[in-house]
Amino acid sequence: VDQGYRKTYDKLDEMLPTLAEGENWLANGVQVVQYQGFWLPKFCVQGIMLIQDHFKPRPTDIILSTFPKCGTTWLRALIFAIINRKKYSYDFQNHPLLTTNPQDLVPFFEMLIHEGGSTSSIETLPSPRFLATHIPFPLIPKSMTSSSSGRFVYICREPKDVFVSMWHFMNKLRAKELAPLSLEEAFDLFCRGVTFAGPYWDHVLGFWEASLESPNKVLFLKYEDLKREPLVYVKKLAYFLDLPFVAEEENEGMVEKIVELCSFENLSNLVVNKNGKNTPGKGKHPGTNSDFFRKGQIGDWKNHLTPQIVEVLDKIIKEKFQSIRLNF
Ligand code: A3P
């Protein structure tokens, strides 16, 4: 082993046993630990530390940063479609998104690095690299957030919808021989911040502050905005990525074509996303492709949460987001 990596692994061996442990919604043997204020699966901590010590950022990097269930799949598809639009502009009939799940087109940063045991799988990718991650902003190394490195696109979502989406998702992935996690149990964990990359509010606040500090580097989006005005926000996204739509593209309906291609209705009905299995060991989530498409709507929490849960969660949201006046 390379001397530099040995140092990181020694550090990990020393640190991992000292971290507080939390409950794992999936109860699948993966340990969840608290690292620098956030709850993460142990393997993510390894990935993060390898990134912190060894990753070499490039100015052209595009990093999609999300808290799970906020719209990662959608943004993977949209950004992929935006940055590759010249390649497929005349024929969306052959677009890779029609036959490939967005996760297979956009590497899951910390997972791939953890699986490879080094950053080499990412270092060998051609520029511009487009990567997706759940790493909270404070844990991202300075080398990646400095002005000479790449851009971050962040998407957040109404917390009650995030919770409901997460509860459904985790129960789909949960070991079949176990009873499903009840809404109450899940709610307790969500409020205490014991979720992958939680607490949710701290995840949001980190990127919110970063976007205020460096608006050219961090684009802060909301799922609800994108859902209500997809054309406006897809244009914003392209502009932010330094790939604005030119008049000719707008005239030929390119923005509409991308929105349509990446819509929930379109993606969720494709054979690959209905029946496609995940390829384990490729830096992908567990589960099947269809697990990432459920309803894709705003406000589904109304169909699941009791008035009591709503009251508690709304109070937390108000308190946590008061200072930044974040509305959904
Ligand atoms: P719901 O469970 O509320 O339906 P992530 O991709 O971050 O894991 O988030 C998953 C959530 O985004 C799920 O929310 C899923 O249905 C929704 N989603 C997936 N693809 C989408 C798309 N193309 N447009 C809008 N929402 C989408």
Side-chain angles (χ1 to χ4, degrees):
V1 189
D2 173 291
Q3 225 20 52
Y5 276 101
R6 170 144 302 147
K7 261 194 189 160
T8 309
Y9 281 109
D10 286 348
K11 212 165 39 174
L12 267 162
D13 285 344
E14 210 170 286
M15 188 201 58
L16 284 177
T18 68
L19 302 178
E21 283 188 21
E23 298 92 329
N24 177 352
W25 296 40
L26 301 177
N28 64 351
V30 172
Q31 278 173 304
V32 176
V33 292
Q34 194 178 32
Y35 178 58
Q36 299 184 351
F38 289 90
W39 291 99
L40 300 153
K42 245 185 194 175
F43 69 81
C44 271
V45 176
Q46 175 175 338
I48 290 172
M49 216 175 238
L50 289 169
I51 290 167
Q52 288 174 338
D53 288 0
H54 302 283
F55 179 65
K56 294 181 196 67
R58 300 178 198 158
T60 48
D61 287 340
I62 299 169
I63 315 284
L64 168 61
S65 294
T66 63
F67 184 83
K69 305 297 118 199
C70 286
T72 324
T73 310
W74 193 11
L75 259 294
R76 270 183 151 113
L78 281 173
I79 296 174
F80 182 88
I82 290 171
I83 62 183
N84 289 299
R85 67 185 189 268
K86 294 257 181 332
K87 279 191 211 161
Y88 312 107
S89 59
Y90 297 107
D91 194 3
F92 268 22
Q93 300 311 98
N94 288 329
H95 201 286
L97 278 165
L98 295 174
T99 47
T100 320
N101 178 267
Q103 281 198 58
D104 287 319
L105 295 172
V106 187
F108 183 2
F109 191 31
E110 59 273 30
M111 179 83 109
L112 201 62
I113 286 181
H114 153 74
E115 280 176 2
S118 83
T119 57
S120 66
S121 51
I122 303 280
E123 305 298 2
T124 48
L125 293 175
S127 297
R129 295 182 296 196
F130 173 31
L131 310 164
T133 179
H134 294 315
I135 306 178
F137 192 81
L139 275 60
I140 295 174
K142 293 280 165 292
S143 57
M144 286 179 72
T145 58
S146 73
S147 55
S148 58
S149 57
R151 291 180 174 81
F152 291 84
V153 175
Y154 187 71
I155 184 158
C156 71
R157 188 179 184 188
E158 209 283 334
K160 297 193 286 301
D161 279 339
V162 175
F163 169 60
V164 166
S165 181
M166 182 170 287
W167 178 58
H168 280 103
F169 180 75
M170 293 296 178
N171 270 331
K172 268 188 215 154
L173 299 195
R174 200 169 150 91
K176 292 288 164 275
E177 57 275 17
L178 294 175
L181 195 67
S182 73
L183 188 74
E184 288 70 26
E185 285 171 286
F187 183 62
D188 173 59
L189 292 174
F190 191 78
C191 290
R192 283 166 36 215
V194 188
T195 63
F196 293 165
Y200 175 49
W201 11 93
D202 293 344
H203 202 282
V204 174
L205 287 169
F207 282 93
W208 171 266
E209 281 160 19
S211 74
L212 288 187
E213 220 165 273
S214 324
N216 298 328
K217 222 178 142 54
V218 182
L219 179 68
F220 187 95
L221 298 171
K222 288 188 255 176
Y223 183 93
E224 291 71 20
D225 287 343
L226 205 57
K227 194 86 193 167
R228 290 188 187 112
E229 294 183 289
L231 297 175
V232 172
Y233 285 92
V234 164
K235 279 192 235 174
K236 260 194 189 153
L237 198 46
Y239 183 82
F240 172 79
L241 296 173
D242 252 349
L243 295 164
F245 291 98
V246 296
E248 195 189 331
E249 287 178 308
E250 291 210 19
N251 293 340
E252 68 170 23
M254 176 60 89
V255 191
E256 284 85 352
K257 260 169 51 176
I258 289 178
V259 167
E260 170 53 29
L261 174 71
C262 302
S263 70
F264 180 85
E265 290 65 30
N266 189 48
L267 292 185
S268 64
N269 283 308
L270 296 170
V271 172
V272 63
N273 293 329
K274 278 183 144 167
N275 307 326
K277 287 265 179 293
N278 262 355
T279 338
K282 288 257 181 86
K284 281 184 71 171
H285 275 281
T288 59
N289 293 344
S290 63
D291 294 336
F292 291 84
F293 302 93
R294 193 182 61 95
K295 275 198 172 174
Q297 284 171 12
I298 298 175
D300 187 45
W301 62 265
K302 291 182 190 118
N303 302 315
H304 299 282
L305 302 185
T306 62
Q308 198 194 359
I309 283 187
V310 171
E311 196 187 319
V312 175
L313 202 41
D314 276 345
K315 204 170 147 221
I316 300 177
I317 297 164
K318 202 174 155 200
E319 191 187 298
K320 299 286 179 187
F321 294 147
Q322 198 166 30
S323 59
I324 64 171
R325 299 207 177 131
L326 189 58
N327 296 310
F328 295 93

